[in-house]
Amino acid sequence: MGIITIKFQVADELLIIIAGLAFVSMYVIAGTAKTSLQLYLSLVVGLFSNVEVPAIKSTLSKLVEQEELTQIFIVISFLEILALFISPPVFGAIYKQTLAIFPGAFFMFAAALNVIVLCILAFIIISSKILPTKQGVSNLPIHIPSDSKSEAILH
């Protein structure tokens, strides 16, 4: 992540959004594909989606204290492993139930899950900009009005 964020001066948050949108786009294109060329196109669109998890870890490492970092990474790793066990039977069942009606439904389900994840990440990113950071200082700029009434109150 450091190469992309430093060399190209791209924020981790932007990488998360781009990767998440790449995931969603890939699944939507694959779910609606009618030809094999469209399936290959979905893979090309999804190439950038692989930076999502490292970008999330990078962002979270900047939001939490050093002592909590290990716990955060353990939870992320646990969720990744849990997804490996849960997703095959869930997606298999969705595919089996929707094959006759809409064969790409499981791709749309995956896209919907990624939209939910993007919304949660957007909430975390926005609240990290509003709430105090780990140094105890808010990321929001403070505007002090310079009219005479406020100056009289301050003095």
Side-chain angles (χ1 to χ4, degrees), residues 100-111:
I101 304 165
F102 179 48
F106 74 99
F107 285 118
M108 296 303 180
F109 179 72

Side-chain angles (χ1 to χ4, degrees), residues 2-124:
I3 294 171
I4 295 173
T5 55
I6 294 171
K7 180 147 176 88
F8 299 110
Q9 297 180 351
V10 177
D12 291 335
E13 293 88 354
L14 181 61
L15 288 177
I16 292 171
I17 292 168
I18 292 171
L21 291 175
F23 256 126
V24 172
S25 300
M26 176 182 69
Y27 289 135
V28 169
I29 293 169
T32 58
K34 302 288 184 211
T35 66
S36 43
L37 179 63
Q38 291 170 330
L39 282 174
Y40 290 121
L41 175 66
S42 73
L43 294 174
V44 171
V45 169
L47 279 176
F48 198 69
S49 63
N50 293 325
V51 300
E52 188 173 32
V53 173
I56 290 170
K57 288 181 178 180
S58 176
T59 300
L60 289 176
S61 70
K62 296 172 187 168
L63 296 176
V64 298
E65 298 289 337
Q66 187 66 31
E67 297 81 30
E68 298 173 339
L69 195 57
T70 305
Q71 295 169 349
I72 295 289
F73 286 170
I74 288 171
V75 169
I76 291 172
S77 297
F78 174 76
L79 292 174
E80 287 176 332
I81 291 170
L82 186 64
L84 290 174
F85 286 104
I86 292 176
S87 59
V90 169
F91 281 93
I94 292 171
Y95 182 73
K96 185 177 177 182
Q97 294 294 320
T98 61
L99 181 60
I101 304 165
F102 179 48
F106 74 99
F107 285 118
M108 296 303 180
F109 179 72
L113 286 178
N114 278 293
V115 168
I116 293 169
V117 168
L118 275 175
C119 290
I120 292 169
L121 290 172
F123 174 77
I124 291 171

